[in-house]
């Protein structure tokens, strides 16, 4: 059955071409009537056969597709008849049924001749009696065609016919019904990627607003933005494809009026201010934005920076924008670059500069960009960068979707805040940080600085903060939660002591020349709570004296006052930055036009000198040549060939000054920091001095295996005790260790105990009449042992181990006293000779 329907459709269209060639011999509407009747007759016959037969679903789908083509052919004949009779206007979508070469215009007065004398179809005869009868037949046939298209899953053709019915309602001034259908169709066309029909129904829906006396609302804005999207996409597609008669272009829909229609929409969007909320259009293809270079420019005369932007307007009209902005994100800051209040975007490319009043430097990613037109914001993010929706530009679109990085140079004359260690650090005092405020070029009329801790573990006592002695105190005020600035002239530096940790610094200020612009920025400054250097201390107790050794690197030691060790130092980073600043300043004073970009020169030199040990190259006579070449190579990627000559000359001059001043400062300039370390008084409860002496070794030769009498003396002192010794003293145990090498054989009392008691002696204090007693320095215990050297050579004497007796410790509050033993004989060696021997051997002689 499906094959019969397909062949019938081919026969009707081919035979109609034959009749068209002899149309002059035919009566009016005969050709259209014959094609309509033939198509409807084939569909009715197929329905009768299908009802009488059992057809599988795949075959039924093929049959319905063939029937839908025949019904669409019959409907197109009604378009032709309706246009020629004046029932339908000769506009899209009705004009799509006309031949491409035809130019049919509806007659001013329909013919008065009876229609039944020229055609025989009862349906057409009834339809041609009047417009209402024609509408009934047209709507019935179209609905029947829509149902048949839907039954074979040809939704795109069914949607096109829904738009046709809405166009009929629009022509009959049934605007509510037409608007409802037109407004519901764009979502279906968007899913089907049918931009041409999407734009058509959107334009028809918006055209109903004046007839309905309906104000432009949020729905109208959505439709206008969607229409512009479809318009740009379809305009791009027309450049690379051959138009299909079933997918009309916007040119065929609007003709020469499309530019006026787009201009009216753009003006309507810009003038619409009644919406409560902004409408955000993401990645709209009407515009594309691109930052021209990867380096921003300093504003020079005020704080902030500038970036150059290129905007491509793909609409056929110019667009007046309210604002254009770009957001750069990096580190702890988000920068907002914006344009003047009104910018006119001409058709094609427009170049302009955006400014940001926030002083900041470093590497930033282009996070997003936006164009505001009235209440509509065309927004573009780094992941949805807008480009023309053209198939041949897919590669360029992918490249533009990559996140763009912009470098903002450091502005040494801008308002800035810095956190660092204070100049003087004392470990036994309340911790502070050095908070520096630099006004730079600005005369600060008013400003507010707030400190916030990231972990909420540190409380800032800003009310108790104070300025350092070398800075001015007027123009600044400390409150409980912030620092206030009032009428501070340019070039002022405040250095303030406050508690420290990793903190967020929020600054808001207004300069006298800013015309009411308040600048705000936030800095995340990390200040380590660790010491700027590591100091190790080791104590050696010798009787009533104690030797303390301090280990540190690359710092000058100042004589300790009482029990405080003071170190003077300066971080290498601060020294490099100071010297680079001085060198650039000196060259600029002598040759004002030699340095092209001071900020970039400063940041590049500091970065190069801080990497590794590059700063040491300046100390060598020939070391600066390699350093100079590396810095110039870094600059060559950022300047043109014409500029690199002047840049190289300026860099060479600055490096020459740095090398000349690379050694220590002769005048001692440069602010050094001071670190004060309180040293606790060392303490030990029991201090022993063990001494093994061999009297015979000093007068006689010693042989291996020879027993020698030795005297062990242990002197015990309580001089360094942190607590008073008990009245009954300490029971100590000694042990003579023969060591693991087996050099000595020990005979006698190798291990034993003795009681060590403090003996007091009276001391008279001249300031007080009372007489008190202090422990005597030491008591001595002696015993004799016999040592036998087991081998010859220079042998060290055995080690003596002394410790409090564990049972005795439990009787003194259960706290074991600290005990150390010093080997007086630790460096003494005994020269042991090998023992000579005589043996008798009998040799048998042959």
């Amino acid at each position: 059955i499906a094959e019969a329907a397909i062949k019938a459709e081919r026969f009707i269209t081919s035979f109609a071409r034959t009749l068209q060639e002899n149309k002059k011999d035919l009566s009016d509407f005969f050709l259209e009537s014959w094609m309509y009747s033939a198509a409807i007759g084939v569909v009715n016959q197929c329905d009768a056969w299908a009802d009488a037969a059992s057809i599988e679903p795949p075959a039924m789908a093929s049959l319905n597709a063939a029937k839908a083509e025949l019904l669409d052919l019959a409907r197109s004949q009604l378009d032709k008849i309706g246009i020629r009779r004046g029932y339908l206007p000769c506009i899209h979508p009705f004009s799509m049924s006309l031949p491409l070469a035809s130019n049919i215009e509806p007659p001013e007065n329909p013919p008065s001749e009876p229609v039944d004398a020229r055609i025989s179809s009862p349906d057409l005869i009834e339809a041609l009696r009047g417009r209402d009868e024609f509408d009934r037949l047209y709507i019935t046939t179209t609905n029947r065609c829509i149902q048949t298209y839907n039954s074979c899953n040809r939704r795109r053709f069914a949607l096109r016919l829904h738009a046709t019915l809405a166009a009929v309602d629009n022509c009959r001034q049934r605007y509510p019904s037409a608007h409802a259908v037109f407004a519901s169709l764009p979502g279906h066309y968007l899913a089907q990627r049918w931009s041409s029909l999407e734009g058509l129904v959107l334009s028809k829906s918006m055209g109903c607003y004046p007839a309905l006396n309906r104000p432009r609302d949020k729905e109208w804005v959505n439709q206008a933005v969607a229409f512009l999207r479809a318009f740009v996409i379809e305009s791009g597609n027309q450049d690379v494809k051959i138009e299909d008669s079933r997918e009309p272009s916007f040119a065929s829909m609007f003709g020469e009026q499309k530019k006026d229609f787009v201009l009216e929409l753009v003006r309507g969007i810009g003038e619409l201010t009644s919406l409560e909320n902004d409408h955000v259009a993401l990645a709209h293809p009407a515009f594309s934005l691109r930052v021209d270079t990867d380096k921003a420019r300093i504003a020079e005369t005020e704080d902030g920076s500038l970036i150059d932007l290129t905007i491509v307007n793909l609409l056929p009209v110019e667009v007046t924008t309210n604002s254009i902005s770009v957001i750069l994100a990096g580190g702890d800051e988000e920068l907002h670059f914006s344009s003047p209040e009104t910018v006119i975007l001409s058709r094609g490319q427009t170049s302009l500069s955006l400014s940001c009043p926030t002083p900041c430097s470093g590497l930033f990613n282009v996070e997003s960009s936006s164009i505001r037109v009235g209440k509509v914001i065309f927004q573009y993010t780094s992941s949805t960068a807008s480009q023309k929706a053209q198939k041949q530009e897919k590669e360029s679109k992918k490249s533009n979707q990559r996140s763009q990085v912009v470098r903002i140079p450091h502005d040494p004359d801008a308002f800035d805040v810095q956190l660092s260690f204070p100049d003087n650090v004392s470990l036994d005092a309340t911790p502070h940080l050095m908070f520096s405020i630099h006004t730079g070029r600005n005369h600060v009329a008013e400003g507010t600085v707030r400190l916030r801790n990231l972990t909420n573990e540190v409380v800032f006592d800003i009310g108790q903060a104070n300025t350092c002695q070398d800075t001015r105190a007027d123009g600044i005020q400390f409150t409980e939660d912030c620092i206030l600035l009032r009428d501070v002239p340019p070039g002022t530096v405040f250095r303030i002591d406050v508690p420290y940790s990793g903190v967020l610094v929020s600054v808001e200020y207004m300069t006298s020349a800013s015309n009411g612009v308040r600048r705000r920025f936030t800095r995340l400054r990390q200040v380590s709570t660790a010491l700027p250097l590591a100091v190790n201390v080791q104590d050696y107790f010798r009787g009533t004296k104690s030797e303390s050794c301090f280990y540190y690197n690359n710092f000058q030691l100042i004589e300790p006052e009482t029990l405080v060790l003071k170190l003077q130092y300066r971080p290498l980073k601060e020294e490099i930055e100071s010297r680079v600043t001085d060198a650039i300043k000196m060259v600029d004073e002598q040759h004002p036009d030699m340095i092209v970009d001071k900020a970039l020169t400063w940041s590049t030199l500091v970065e190069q000198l801080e990497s590794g040990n590059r700063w040491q190259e300046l100390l060598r006579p020939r070391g600066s040549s390699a350093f100079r070449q590396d810095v110039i190579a870094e600059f060559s990627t950022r300047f043109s060939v014409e500029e690199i000559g002047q840049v190289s000359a300026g860099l060479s001059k600055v490096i020459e000054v740095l090398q000349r001043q690379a050694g220590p400062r002769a005048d001692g300039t440069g602010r050094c920091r001071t670190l004060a370390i309180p040293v606790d008084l060392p303490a030990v409860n029991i201090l022993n001095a063990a001494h093994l002496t061999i009297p015979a070794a000093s007068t006689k030769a010693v042989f291996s295996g020879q027993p020698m009498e030795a005297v062990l003396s242990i002197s015990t002192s309580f001089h360094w005790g942190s607590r008073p010794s008990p009245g009954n003293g300490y029971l100590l145990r000694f042990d003579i260790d023969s060591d693991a090498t087996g050099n000595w054989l020990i005979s006698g009392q190798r291990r034993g105990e003795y009681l060590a008691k403090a003996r007091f002696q009276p001391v008279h204090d001249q300031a007080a009449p009372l007489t008190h007693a202090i422990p005597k320095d030491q008591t001595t215990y002696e015993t004799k042992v016999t040592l036998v050297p087991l081998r010859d050579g220079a042998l060290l004497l055995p080690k003596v181990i002394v410790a409090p007796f564990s049972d005795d410790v439990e009787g003194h509050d259960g706290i074991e006293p600290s005990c150390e033993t010093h080997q007086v004989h630790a460096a003494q060696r005994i020269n042991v000779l090998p023992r000579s021997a005589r043996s008798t051997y009998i040799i048998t002689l042959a």
Side-chain angles (χ1 to χ4, degrees):
I1 300 175
E3 185 177 355
I6 294 173
K7 290 182 178 181
E9 194 269 338
R10 293 174 182 174
F11 170 76
I12 295 172
T13 54
S14 61
F15 188 72
R17 286 193 292 269
T18 303
L19 295 177
Q20 182 69 29
E21 295 174 357
N22 301 282
K23 187 176 181 180
K24 61 181 180 179
D25 298 333
L26 303 176
S27 59
D28 289 339
F29 303 122
F30 177 83
L31 177 59
E32 291 79 5
S33 175
W34 179 83
M35 294 181 68
Y36 172 85
S37 301
I40 294 298
V42 173
V43 171
N44 293 335
Q45 184 61 47
C46 291
D47 288 339
W49 288 340
D51 293 339
S54 178
I55 304 177
E56 296 294 331
M60 193 66 189
S62 300
L63 175 60
N64 289 333
K67 289 164 49 181
E69 293 288 344
L70 288 168
L71 290 172
D72 205 357
L73 179 62
R75 187 202 59 80
S76 63
Q77 307 311 309
L78 296 179
D79 285 338
K80 299 176 184 179
I81 297 174
I83 292 174
R84 292 176 61 183
R85 290 287 293 182
Y87 298 153
L88 296 175
C90 187
I91 59 174
H92 183 87
F94 312 113
S95 60
M96 293 297 298
S97 301
L98 299 176
L100 296 178
S102 63
N103 187 17
I104 301 177
E105 295 183 359
E108 296 181 359
N109 297 314
S112 57
E113 180 181 356
V115 295
D116 56 352
R118 291 168 287 170
I119 58 176
S120 58
S121 172
D123 295 337
L124 290 180
I125 293 175
E126 180 66 21
L128 293 178
R129 295 187 183 277
R131 190 178 66 179
D132 295 339
E133 291 79 3
F134 176 84
D135 287 352
R136 282 194 293 271
L137 178 61
Y138 190 89
I139 293 173
T140 301
T141 305
T142 304
N143 284 329
R144 186 179 180 186
C145 186
I146 290 173
Q147 294 175 1
T148 310
Y149 272 133
N150 287 330
S151 64
C152 60
N153 294 325
R154 300 181 70 175
R155 291 179 51 82
R156 294 185 63 173
F157 293 95
L159 291 174
R160 177 171 56 88
L161 296 182
H162 278 294
T164 303
L165 291 179
V168 173
D169 290 336
N170 192 42
C171 294
R172 302 297 182 256
Q173 298 183 358
R174 296 190 289 267
Y175 297 115
S177 175
H179 175 72
V181 176
F182 282 136
S184 64
L185 290 177
H188 300 284
Y189 290 136
L190 182 62
Q192 296 290 333
R193 296 183 180 180
W194 209 342
S195 57
S196 58
L197 286 182
E198 179 190 1
L200 173 64
V201 296
L202 287 170
S203 63
K204 296 296 185 182
S205 177
M206 289 183 289
C208 295
Y209 272 79
L212 294 172
N213 293 324
R214 182 175 176 180
R216 293 174 176 176
D217 51 8
K218 183 178 180 180
E219 182 182 357
W220 183 90
V221 173
N222 292 335
Q223 293 179 353
V225 173
F227 174 84
L228 295 179
R229 180 191 302 273
F231 180 86
V232 173
I233 293 176
E234 186 64 18
S235 298
N237 292 339
Q238 291 174 22
D239 298 335
V240 294
K241 75 177 184 179
I242 300 175
E243 294 183 2
D244 187 356
S245 61
R246 291 190 180 272
E247 296 188 9
S249 64
F250 277 108
S252 63
M253 296 177 190
F254 299 101
E256 299 297 330
Q257 300 178 352
K258 63 177 182 179
K259 182 176 180 179
D260 297 335
F261 185 77
V262 173
L263 180 60
E264 180 183 357
L265 286 184
V266 172
R267 288 178 177 175
I269 293 175
E271 296 171 356
L272 184 61
T273 59
S274 59
L275 295 180
E276 295 182 0
N277 301 321
D278 294 332
H279 175 82
V280 179
L282 294 175
H284 198 283
F287 308 100
S288 64
L289 299 88
R290 179 73 179 176
V291 179
D292 290 341
T293 62
D294 58 353
K295 177 187 173 185
R297 295 178 287 115
I298 298 177
E300 298 292 346
T301 58
E302 60 180 356
D303 289 359
S305 53
L306 304 171
I307 59 173
D308 297 325
L309 190 70
T310 297
I311 303 176
V312 179
N313 176 18
L314 300 181
L315 298 176
V317 297
E318 65 180 22
V319 179
T320 301
T321 66
N322 298 91
S323 64
I324 300 173
S325 62
V326 174
I327 297 178
L328 304 184
D332 57 338
E333 195 69 36
E334 192 174 76
L335 303 182
H336 294 257
F337 289 80
S338 59
S339 64
E341 294 183 356
T342 301
V343 176
I344 298 178
L345 300 180
S346 303
R347 181 179 181 182
Q349 290 189 358
T350 301
S351 299
L352 69 157
S353 297
L354 307 184
S355 62
C356 175
T358 303
C360 198
S361 63
L363 292 177
F364 295 83
N365 291 324
V366 179
E367 186 75 11
S368 64
S369 54
S370 61
I371 300 175
R372 173 182 285 274
V373 181
K375 286 289 188 176
V376 178
I377 301 176
F378 299 92
Q379 186 172 349
Y380 308 89
T381 62
S382 57
S383 60
T384 57
S386 66
Q387 287 291 317
K388 285 182 65 178
Q390 298 180 1
K391 295 181 180 180
Q392 76 276 17
E393 293 185 357
K394 284 184 178 180
E395 294 300 326
S396 64
K397 179 178 179 181
K398 291 180 181 178
S399 64
N400 282 282
Q401 287 179 349
R402 302 190 186 102
S403 180
Q404 187 177 3
V405 179
V406 177
R407 177 188 293 272
I408 301 179
H410 173 70
D411 185 0
D413 297 328
F415 192 104
D416 195 12
V417 293
Q418 295 292 336
L419 296 180
S420 64
F421 253 69
D423 290 344
N424 302 312
V425 178
S426 180
L427 297 188
D428 58 345
T430 303
H432 285 70
L433 60 79
M434 179 64 69
F435 179 58
S436 300
I437 302 176
H438 303 260
T439 59
R441 65 168 65 87
N442 306 287
H443 187 121
V444 179
E446 58 178 273
T448 304
V449 182
R450 288 182 170 84
L451 303 179
R452 292 185 290 119
N453 179 245
L454 292 177
T455 59
N456 296 324
E457 297 177 354
V458 175
V459 177
F460 299 101
D461 192 4
I462 300 179
Q464 299 299 323
N466 53 66
T467 58
C468 297
Q469 296 180 356
D470 58 346
T471 61
R472 58 181 292 166
D474 56 327
I476 187 170
Q477 181 182 357
F478 302 100
T479 65
E480 293 298 326
D481 60 346
C482 65
I483 301 173
L484 302 179
L485 304 177
R486 292 290 185 274
D487 193 20
V488 182
T492 302
V493 178
F494 291 106
R495 301 175 66 240
I496 308 163
D497 279 338
V498 290
Y500 67 87
S501 183
V503 297
L504 283 174
V505 184
S506 300
V507 179
E508 179 178 340
Y509 66 100
M510 183 173 63
T511 64
S512 58
S514 62
N515 296 325
V517 176
R518 301 189 69 89
R519 289 174 166 84
R520 299 179 181 87
F521 64 88
T522 301
R523 295 284 190 274
L524 174 60
R525 299 300 190 190
Q526 293 289 346
V527 180
S528 176
T529 58
L531 290 176
L533 69 158
V535 179
N536 297 322
V537 184
Q538 188 171 359
D539 298 320
Y540 298 94
F541 297 97
R542 298 294 183 265
T544 58
K545 296 181 180 180
S546 173
E547 297 178 2
S548 298
C549 295
F550 295 86
Y551 298 92
Y552 55 93
N553 293 319
N554 300 330
F555 290 94
Q556 178 184 359
L557 176 63
I558 302 179
E559 292 296 333
E561 301 175 1
T562 64
L563 293 177
V564 177
L565 176 67
K566 290 186 177 180
L567 302 176
Q568 279 190 347
Y569 68 97
R570 190 177 192 192
L572 179 62
K573 177 180 176 62
E574 292 185 4
E575 184 69 16
I576 290 176
E577 292 178 353
S578 174
R579 297 207 177 194
V580 172
T581 302
D582 294 343
I584 293 176
K585 182 178 180 181
M586 181 181 297
V587 174
D588 187 57
E589 291 176 353
Q590 298 175 358
H591 309 280
D593 298 330
M594 179 171 286
I595 303 178
V596 177
D597 192 331
K598 298 177 187 177
L600 182 59
T601 302
W602 185 90
S603 60
T604 304
L605 287 174
V606 170
E607 181 180 354
Q608 289 289 332
L609 288 173
E610 289 180 354
S611 61
N613 294 324
R614 299 300 300 270
W615 63 273
Q616 296 181 357
E617 298 181 10
L618 298 178
L619 300 175
R620 299 193 293 268
R622 298 182 180 180
S624 62
S625 59
F627 175 75
R628 182 185 293 107
Q629 293 176 0
D630 293 342
V631 176
I632 293 177
E634 180 73 16
F635 270 74
S636 62
T637 60
R638 305 181 182 182
F639 291 92
S640 61
V641 179
E642 295 78 9
E643 296 175 333
I644 197 63
Q646 183 179 359
V647 172
S648 301
L651 279 175
S652 300
K653 196 66 176 178
V654 174
I655 295 174
E656 180 182 345
V657 174
L658 283 174
Q659 187 178 18
R660 190 165 60 245
Q661 301 177 353
R665 299 178 187 263
D667 55 356
T669 58
R671 186 174 65 252
C672 290
R673 300 180 183 273
T674 301
L675 175 62
I677 304 177
V679 181
D680 294 333
L681 183 66
V684 61
N685 297 116
I686 305 173
L687 178 62
N688 302 301
H691 191 192
L692 270 175
T693 59
I694 303 177
S698 60
T699 58
K700 299 179 181 180
V702 179
F703 296 91
S704 61
Q706 176 184 348
M708 296 177 295
E709 187 180 69
V711 178
L712 171 62
S713 62
I714 304 175
S715 300
T716 303
S717 174
F718 305 96
H719 180 79
W720 298 99
S722 60
R723 62 181 180 179
S725 59
N728 56 351
Y730 290 104
L731 182 62
L732 303 180
R733 171 176 289 179
F734 70 89
D735 187 359
I736 303 176
D737 186 12
S738 61
D739 66 35
T741 58
N743 292 333
W744 298 93
L745 178 63
I746 302 174
S747 177
Q749 190 180 8
R750 176 178 177 180
R751 179 181 302 166
E753 295 86 18
Y754 69 95
L755 182 63
K757 296 180 64 176
R759 292 182 298 170
F760 294 89
Q761 59 183 3
V763 175
H764 298 281
D765 193 349
Q766 298 178 357
L770 297 179
T771 301
H772 59 278
I774 62 171
K776 194 177 179 180
D777 287 344
Q778 61 185 16
T779 60
T780 303
Y781 169 80
E782 290 187 357
T783 185
K784 293 183 179 181
V785 294
T786 301
L787 300 180
V788 180
L790 299 181
R791 66 179 186 87
D792 59 280
L795 305 182
L796 292 172
L797 292 177
K799 183 179 180 181
V800 180
I801 301 173
V802 182
F805 194 54
S806 58
D807 294 339
D808 183 67
V809 170
E810 295 178 356
H812 298 296
D813 300 329
I815 301 176
E816 183 177 359
S818 58
C819 180
E820 289 188 9
T821 302
H822 165 53
Q823 309 292 324
V824 179
H825 58 273
Q828 184 179 352
R829 292 177 180 269
I830 302 297
N831 291 320
V832 180
L833 302 177
R835 181 178 294 276
S836 60
R838 181 179 298 178
S839 301
T840 303
Y841 299 93
I842 299 175
I843 302 175
T844 303
L845 298 177

